[in-house]
Structures are given as structure tokens and as C-alpha cells.
């Protein structure tokens, strides 16, 4: 109920409105005033994408009930622009290429503005300190710091302002410093991500998710939810008109749970209602009866005889097994001078893109279904949707909205199908915005691996045989597991000439969160094992780890382990350049410690030490004494 | 998500008590809201609805401070950023600034209040150990039959358990009194995963004063957080040093005496090792903070293991 009267100034404009008292300042700015530049990345005050100035003080607007802003002066990212022209800081962000996906950028710009207002001569360390409450997932921060320093120097007159202009490079594109064409939309906060979009008659969606890792669904009763005032549609798997199932390689995942749930967080039903509160209330009224089933949490358990079957059409729970066989490993391993074995473990990783998933779905005037979402795979998704919805392809349109970070995590179509079903049912636009918690619970993770590694080497360091066994937890649904196993297997043995090779990459179903695409797609996990193992072998053989690599690299004219003939190999060039830049000091790695000559020089990293950490500089304003 | 039917912002204590009266049984008091809003989310508090929220952060009476002899009285609404930046506070309660610099981040510090941190009573609270070390006492007020009743509780009497205090229905913490300690050296140790926005796994507050020649401990205050259901004052470790010479072996002994306070539910061995090193380092850093000569102590902190 809108019973709280608020008056405040936002970006120079006086505002007076009656609002629901539970709104946070962030909600008020975004939903009531449509200043969508400030973002919700976490809702818990951690990420800083909601940072705004309140009476000149930088604060996290997701932590402020709107009443706290009564009679205050608010400045958001949209207020930084000067008469439609980028200010110095915005130009600096453009010049250094500081923005990638752009989602953290409004918050970063506000923090950088706060830093330079507090101390126009702030050095790098102080800039880092003042930006400490703002997280970025894409850039690694360096260009953001550079941009802030560049802006500082231009504003102080230490550097000329034509340094902010694009370099006039006439040569080839590659290697040139060009402005990204979308930067200005990102540094002004004007770019609309899916969660920023609004449409007349728009409804809000909420999704009921499984509390159990493995259970049969005996009954779903949506009648009470459907009867609620303000609820326009409730959907379940029964609303699928076409052929259910989506995925990247196999269509093993239903749009909404069908018959059973296979992981905690799996979507079961969804509500589209006039407002978020009504949608949430309606969810509570959906009654589901479950029969819990035995749960598989470890990939080792999934392949035991008699293990619970997670997908009926895959009785052995094996999503994909990619083998590579070459030569005679058993014989040559037995004859090797050294046989060195170890097991490597990698963990599931959350993508944690700053932009939680979101979508806006609607019907065009001609009846075409349109979904705007930060999907990394709109062509694939479009075809899947057409099949699921039994619509001709020209009646399904997918628009890739600005992606606030993906890294592979937005390749799965895990909510667009749900939105489509609801839009077709109620014929009105629907927006669905995930909370951070929902994003973490529902979306795929990087595949964890257990890698058993065995290498047979000759006395002088030649790799003669390699046996690599990789077991990976694919979670409840395939997603990209097939491809991940393939990549992991193909690249497992590394860029080394090995004549006898056994590789097995086995992805198995479990009742854990599905594993899916995430940067490197399986190769990082297998090569992490390979490189660690080679380093260990070098120690055991008392060899320089560089020498061990040089001895075994694939060369031009060699065949890879999957029979690709190598026509051009720049390995040595790249490797030698890296060694030079690193000042590599030859020798066995574990015997020199801090006496190494390739640490602590200009251009190298300092040696790692353990010791008491200095207190960070406490921020004391000029004129105050400690 | 945080929901409410009514949101009130009283400007005075009287107003606040009247609102408490009118909304008996259905009110929720908040100050900075920086703990409440992150808590009211899926996986923790979930969706919570309060009929009446009473936001006391604008009550100016509760935002001031004053010296009262050798004690200082701080309004419960003093923000963590003020504890970090204000020169008067930095002089009189120096350890609070050392704690504040590790507290969340600057944006949250501008909103978060001392009273809120103490009343929230997280076992990992950063303000509680330094306040314990400074003999903090809370003033609690309540309106009863038209009159304001006041009582005082020492901080260790106030905090009962994780998230639990002896605050009674209708009561507000209006101010916190603690020792004024200009001239003491202080230190705050905290371990966690990164520079900002860290919930303490272990935290320690230390204050030290030395004799004029720097060779003897005059006063030592030590308090520990994050290692059990409530933060604790390390009385044994303190007595081991007070009026004694500044000597490595005694500092080691003092640190050793602190280790048994680890009563966390998890990671006990790790916390014991950290506690030993924090007490030792905290004392040494606090001494360095005094800027007088002090007896040479073994500055090589040798971590000790095997705490059973």
C-alpha cells in the first residue's frame, strides 16, 4: 500500500510521491522514477552496483529503505553527464576501455567520482581503497583504476585533455586502441539490460523451485494460486503445447519439472501477476506433493552398480564418455624408467556475473512471441522454443539484451521457456528478474573434475606413456556436459608429443546443480592437472620444469592426439618470449627458494613471503590530525 | 525481502517511545538497516513482514557524544564512519578507528551504527570486542506509564548469545559509555578472505599503556570475537602482563592463555592458532602505536601449532 509520502531531489529534479514503505531507495529510483542506471547485483550490500550519492555521501541504495532518503539530494550515474556530453571521468573510462559488460560500471563510476571528490590527488592505493566496496567480474579492475588516474590527472592539469581522445590510428585494427562503440551507453547508465525494461501492462513472474534434490512429483495443485486476484497466469509442464525439452546437446531438461525433480532449485511452476508481492504470495499457494527418492551427490556413486537412475533413458547415469586411445600404454608404462601418479580435484565454480538473469517476454501485434534476455545462444534457443511451443520459426523471436556478464552461464535456456509459456497463456508482457540467490541456486556451474593422472617417463625426461582418467559431475541435466567432456579429453594430454595415450573423460548425472559451460569448457580442468603433474615430474626427476617441457613439445609436422596434422606451431616462440619476460632462472624449481634471481626485479613479481600485514591507511581528511 | 506496512521516522526519543507504545507487539526497530536488509533474503531470514518499522536513525539526541570525566558517552546512532574519521573519537577511543577501518566498506559504514552492531550481537561483530576492552556500559531506556525508565548494563551482561541480548520489550539502547583512553596504543586484528566486506573468522581488540620508560606494562586490555557464541574479554591474558616487564616470554604466555577461549562450532584448530598469533601481534602493534621506546621483543612471530 502506497502510504509513505516521500520528497527528495534526484539528479537535480524535485520529486514528491507516495510509495510503499518497504521500497528501498534502489527500487524507488529504478521502478518508480525509472532511473535504471543504478543496478541490483546482489541486494545485500556487497557488490556496489547500486551505489549512489545521498547528500554527497556515497551509499549503497539497496540497503536503504526509501524513507531514509526523505529531504535528501540524490545523484545517480545519470546525473554525471554534462548537457549530453560525457564528463572527464566518463571519457577516461572510454579511453582506457574500462568497461566490458558494463553492469558494474555505474557503481564504479560513482565510487571513482567519490574518490576524486574526496581527494583530487588520490594515488593508486587510495583509489583501490575507495573502490573497495564495488565488485567487477569482467575487467580485473586495472583499466578502471587507470581510468580514474587518467581523469585525476586531466582534472588536475597534469595531463592534457586530448589524451582523452581516441588515438588516430591509421594502421590495421588489430593492436590499435579504438573506442568500444557501446562504452558511452555504459558510462552514462543509459543502456537497458533486461531487468531495466518495462512495457505497458507488464506482469511480474516468480518461479516455484524444488526444495528437494531428487523426488517424484505426485501432484501439483495450482487452483488456489490461479484464483488469487492479480494473478494472470500459473504454468506447469502441462502447459507445454509442443515437444518439451531443451539443452545444448541433448534436450534432456524440461521447461518445468515433469514427473520428478532432479536438483534443489529446479523450476516446477511459475506465476505471472500484477506485482511482485502478489506473485510471491501466489507461489505460496501452489501445493506440491513429493515422494523423495534416493539422492546421488558424488559422481563416483553415480556409476556404481545398482545406483539410482536419474534420467530413465540413461540407465547408467553416464552423460558422455569421450575416450582417446593411442599406441600401447600398458606395455610402455611398464617399461618406463619413472612412473609418476597423482590425483587432482577441481571444484564447481559459480559464474557470478554481476547481472543476475532477467527477461522481458511479450507478443508482438502480429502474434510473434518475443523474448529479450541476456542469452548467449539466441539462435539455438529460438529453435528450441519453436519446437517446445509448437510455433513456426518465424513466430518466435529472441533478442539478446545487453549481457551483464555470461562466461558460459547464460548459455542455458533455463527460464526463457517458462516465460514463453506464461505469455502465451495470458497474452500480456511479462518480466522476470532473478535475485542473486535464485541465480546461484538455479544456474549451471563449472564442471568439477576428479583426474587420475599417470605418466611414464624415460630417465632423461621424455614422456613415453600417459594415462588420464577424468570423472566429472555433470549434475542433474546435460547442459554443455557433452562438449565439456570432449574439450577436456582432446586437450587433456597437453601440447606434448606422446605416442602412447589413454584418455577417458566421463561426465555423469548426479542430483547436484547442473554443470554447464564456463570459460575454457573443460580444458582448464584437464590442463591444470597436466601442468601440475609435469611440474611434479620435473621435481622427481630433478629437472628444470622448463627443460622438461621443451623436451616434449609438439612441433610442426607432428600430429595431435586426435590426429590433426600441425602445419604451424608457434609454441616455442611464445614459450621463449614468456621465459625472457619472466627472467626465468634455469634449475630445479623446489631447491632455490628466495635465492632465485628471477624474483623481485623490476618487471617480476616479488617473492611470496609470510608475515604480518600492515594496517591499511586509515582515511583521515586533510586538516585533521590522527 | 524486507516488507512492512508502515514506516515511521521519529525525530525525538519521546516520539519513538510513543510509536512503540502505539504499535505494541507489532513493531521492529531499526537504525542503519545494514544488517537487517541482507538478512531478510532467501537462505537467511527469507521474506519478512513487519507491521510497523520504527527507524530511530534520525533521532539527533542519539547521534552525539561527550566526554564525562574519564568516560566517554556515545549516542547509539554514532556511525562506524564517524568512529573512523572524527578526530575527537580517534583520540579518546583509538581502538574503534582501528576496528572501523576493517568494517564492511566505506559506503556501509556511513549508514551502520554502533548501537545497531551491538544490539545485532553477531558473534563476529567488529564493534563488540573493542567496546568490551573499554569497559562499555549500555544505557537502555523504556517508557513505562508515561515515564522514561533507564537502566544500565555492562556490555558483557547485555550480550547473551548469538543474536541474543537482554534488551527487553519496549527498550531502546540510547547510548554507550566506555573508558576514555587517550595515549593508549591500540590495535585491531581481523582475519577473513579479503580487504573489504569481510565477516570476521577471528577478531581481536588490544589497548596498551606503558610506563614512562617503556619497559613495563601499565595497562593492557584484550578482547576476542568470532571464536564462540559471544565475544570475550581476556582477563587472564591481561593480568599476566599488567605491571609486569615487557618481555617476550610473558607476551607468549599471555597469548597462550587466550587460546582456550575458542569455542566455535567449526575450525577450532585454525582459530586457536590465529588467536595465539593475534594476541601476540595485537600487543606488539598496540605498543608500536604508542610511539615511545619499548623493550625489544622477538618480532619474528613464530606460529605455533597443535592446540588440543
Amino acid at each position: 500500500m502506497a502510504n509513505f509520502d516521500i520528497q527528495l531531489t534526484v539528479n537535480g529534479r524535485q520529486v514528491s510521491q507516495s510509495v510503499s514503505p518497504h521500497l528501498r531507495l534502489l527500487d524507488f529510483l529504478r521502478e518508480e522514477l525509472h532511473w535504471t542506471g543504478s543496478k541490483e547485483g546482489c541486494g545485500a550490500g556487497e557488490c556496489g552496483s547500486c551505489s549512489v550519492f545521498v547528500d554527497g555521501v556515497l551509499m549503497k541504495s539497496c540497503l536503504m529503505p526509501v524513507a531514509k532518503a526523505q529531504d535528501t539530494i540524490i545523484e545517480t550515474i545519470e546525473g554525471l553527464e554534462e548537457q549530453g556530453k560525457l564528463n572527464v571521468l566518463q571519457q577516461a573510462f572510454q579511453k582506457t576501455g574500462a568497461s566490458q559488460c558494463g553492469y558494474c560500471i555505474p557503481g564504479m563510476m560513482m565510487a571513482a567520482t567519490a574518490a576524486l571528490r574526496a581527494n583530487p590527488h588520490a594515488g593508486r592505493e587510495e583509489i583501490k581503497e575507495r573502490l573497495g566496496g564495488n565488485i567487477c567480474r569482467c575487467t580485473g579492475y586495472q583499466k578502471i583504476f587507470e581510468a580514474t588516474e587518467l581523469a585525476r590527472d586531466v582534472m588536475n592539469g597534469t595531463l592534457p585533455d586530448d589524451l582523452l581522445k581516441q588515438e588516430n590510428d591509421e594502421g590495421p585494427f588489430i593492436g590499435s586502441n579504438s573506442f568500444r562503440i557501446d562504452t558511452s551507453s555504459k558510462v552514462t547508465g543509459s543502456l537497458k539490460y533486461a531487468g531495466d525494461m518495462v512495457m505497458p501492462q507488464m506482469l511480474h513472474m516468480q518461479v516455484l523451485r524444488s526444495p528437494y534434490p531428487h523426488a517424484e512429483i505426485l501432484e501439483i495443485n495450482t487452483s488456489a494460486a490461479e484464483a488469487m486476484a492479480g494473478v494472470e497466469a500459473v504454468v506447469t509442464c502441462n502447459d507445454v503445447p509442443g515437444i518439451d525439452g531443451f539443452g545444448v546437446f541433448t534436450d534432456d531438461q524440461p521447461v518445468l519439472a515433469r514427473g520428478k525433480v532432479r536438483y534443489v532449485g529446479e523450476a516446477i511452476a511459475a506465476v505471472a501477476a500484477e506485482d511482485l508481492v502478489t506473485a510471491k504470495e501466489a507461489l505460496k499457494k501452489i501445493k506440491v506433493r513429493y515422494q523423495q527418492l534416493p539422492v546421488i551427490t558424488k559422481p563416483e556413486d553415480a556409476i556404481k552398480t545398482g545406483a539410482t537412475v536419474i534420467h530413465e533413458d540413461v540407465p547408467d547415469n553416464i552423460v558422455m564418455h569421450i575416450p582417446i586411445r593411442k599406441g600401447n600404454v600398458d606395455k610402455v608404462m611398464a617399461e618406463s624408467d619413472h612412473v609418476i601418479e597423482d590425483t587432482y580435484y577441481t571444484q564447481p565454480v559459480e559464474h557470478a556475473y554481476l547481472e543476475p538473469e532477467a527477461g522481458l517476454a511479450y507478443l508482438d501485434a502480429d502474434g510473434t512471441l518475443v523474448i529479450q534476455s541476456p542469452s548467449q545462444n539466441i539462435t539455438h534457443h529460438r529453435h528450441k522454443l519453436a519446437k517446445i511451443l509448437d510455433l513456426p520459426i518465424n513466430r518466435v523471436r529472441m533478442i539478446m539484451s545487453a549481457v551483464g556478464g555470461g562466461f558460459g552461464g547464460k548459455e542455458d535456456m533455463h527460464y526463457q521457456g517458462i516465460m514463453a509459456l506464461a505469455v502465451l497463456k495470458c497474452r500480456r508482457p511479462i518480466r522476470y528478474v532473478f535475485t542473486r540467490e535464485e541465480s546461484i541456486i538455479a544456474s549451471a556451474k563449472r564442471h568439477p573434475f576428479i583426474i587420475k593422472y599417470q605418466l611414464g617417463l624415460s630417465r632423461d625426461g621424455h614422456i613415453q606413456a600417459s594415462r588420464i582418467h577424468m570423472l566429472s559431475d555433470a549434475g542433474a541435466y546435460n547442459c554443455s556436459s557433452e562438449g565439456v567432456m570432449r574439450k577436456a579429453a582432446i586437450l587433456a594430454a597437453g601440447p606434448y608429443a606422446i605416442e602412447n595415450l589413454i584418455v577417458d573423460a566421463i561426465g555423469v548425472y548426479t542430483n547436484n546443480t547442473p554443470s554447464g559451460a564456463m570459460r575454457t569448457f573443460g580444458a582448464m580442468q584437464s590442463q591444470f592437472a597436466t601442468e601440475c603433474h609435469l611440474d611434479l615430474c620435473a621435481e622427481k626427476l630433478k629437472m628444470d620444469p622448463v627443460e622438461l617441457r621443451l623436451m616434449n613439445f609438439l612441433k610442426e609436422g607432428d600430429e595431435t592426439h586426435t590426429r590433426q596434422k600441425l602445419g604451424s606451431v608457434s609454441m616455442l616462440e611464445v614459450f621463449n618470449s614468456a621465459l625472457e619476460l619472466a627472467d626465468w632462472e634455469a634449475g630445479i624449481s623446489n631447491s632455490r627458494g628466495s635465492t632465485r634471481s628471477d624474483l623481485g626485479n623490476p618487471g617480476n613479481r616479488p617473492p611470496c613471503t609470510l608475515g604480518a600485514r600492515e594496517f591499511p591507511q586509515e582515511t583521515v581528511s586533510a586538516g585533521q590530525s590522527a | 525481502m524486507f516488507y512492512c506496512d508502515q514506516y515511521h521516522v521519529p525525530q525525538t526519543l519521546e516520539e519513538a517511545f510513543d510509536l512503540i507504545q502505539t504499535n505494541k507487539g507489532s513493531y521492529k526497530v531499526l537504525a542503519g538497516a545494514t544488517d537487517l536488509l541482507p538478512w531478510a533474503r532467501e537462505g537467511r531470514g527469507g521474506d519478512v513482514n513487519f507491521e510497523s518499522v520504527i527507524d530511530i536513525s534520525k533521532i539527533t539526541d542519539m547521534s552525539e557524544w561527550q566526554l564525562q570525566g574519564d568516560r566517554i558517552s556515545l549516542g547509539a546512532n554514532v556511525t562506524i564512519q564517524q568512529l573512523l574519521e572524527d578526530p575527537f573519537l580517534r583520540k579518546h577511543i583509538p581502538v574503534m578507528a582501528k576496528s572501523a577501518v576493517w568494517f564492511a566498506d566505506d559506503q556501509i559504514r556511513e549508514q551502520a551504527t554502533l548501537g545497531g552492531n551491538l544490539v545485532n550481537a553477531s558473534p563476529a561483530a567488529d564493534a563488540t570486542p573493542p567496546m568490551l576492552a573499554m569497559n562499555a556500559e549500555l544505557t537502555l531506556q523504556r517508557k513505562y506509564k508515561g515515564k522514561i525508565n533507564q537502566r544500565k548494563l555492562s556490555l558483557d551482561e547485555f550480550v547473551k548469545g548469538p543474536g541474543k541480548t537482554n534488551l527487553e520489550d519496549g527498550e531502546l539502547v540510547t547510548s554507550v559509555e566506555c573508558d576514555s583512553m587517550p595515549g593508549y596504543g591500540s590495535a585491531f586484528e581481523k582475519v577473513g578472505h579479503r580487504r573489504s566486506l569481510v565477516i570476521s573468522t577471528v577478531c581481536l581488540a588490544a589497548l596498551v599503556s606503558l610506563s614512562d620508560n617503556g619497559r613495563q606494562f601499565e595497562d593492557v586490555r584484550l578482547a576476542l570475537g568470532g571464536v564462540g557464541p559471544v565475544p570475550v574479554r581476556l582477563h587472564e591474558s591481561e593480568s599476566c602482563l599488567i605491571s609486569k616487564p615487557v618481555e617476550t616470554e610473558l607476551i607468549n604466555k599471555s597469548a597462550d592463555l587466550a587460546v582456550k577461549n575458542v569455542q566455535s562450532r567449526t575450525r577450532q584448530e585454525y582459530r586457536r592458532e590465529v588467536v595465539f598469533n593475534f594476541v601476540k601481534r595485537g600487543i606488539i602493534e598496540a605498543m608500536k602505536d604508542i610511539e615511545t621506546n619499548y623493550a625489544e621483543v622477538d618480532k619474528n612471530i613464530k606460529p605455533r601449532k597443535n592446540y588440543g
Side-chain angles (χ1 to χ4, degrees), chain B residues 56 62 76 115 119 138-141 158 167 171-176:
Chain B
I56 55 173
M62 285 167 61
V119 172
L138 281 70
T139 302
L140 300 113
Q141 292 188 349
F158 179 70
L167 190 70
E171 260 186 337
L172 292 175
V173 173
T174 53
S175 65
V176 182

Side-chain angles (χ1 to χ4, degrees), chain A residues 3 21 42-43 45-46 51 57 60 62-65 67-68 129 133-134 280 437 441 613 615 618 624, chain B residues 1 3 5 7 31 37 41-42 47 55 57-58 85 90 102 105 107-108 110-111 188 195-197:
Chain A
N3 61 8
C42 73
E46 305 264 350
S51 298
V57 179
K60 293 186 161 174
C62 78
L63 292 182
M64 286 184 75
K68 284 181 178 292
E129 182 72 15
N134 291 68
K280 285 186 180 204
E437 290 84 354
I441 287 169
R613 186 205 237 165
F615 277 121
E618 292 157 33
Q624 289 178 341
Chain B
M1 291 300 151
Y3 293 103
D5 299 332
Y7 196 103
L37 260 49
R41 296 187 66 84
E42 182 176 2
D47 284 345
D55 179 334
S57 66
K58 302 282 199 249
E85 288 186 331
R90 289 170 71 87
W102 290 105
D105 64 44
Q107 298 174 56
I108 292 175
E110 294 282 0
Q111 234 179 280
F188 187 80
R195 165 69 190 96
S196 305
L197 298 162

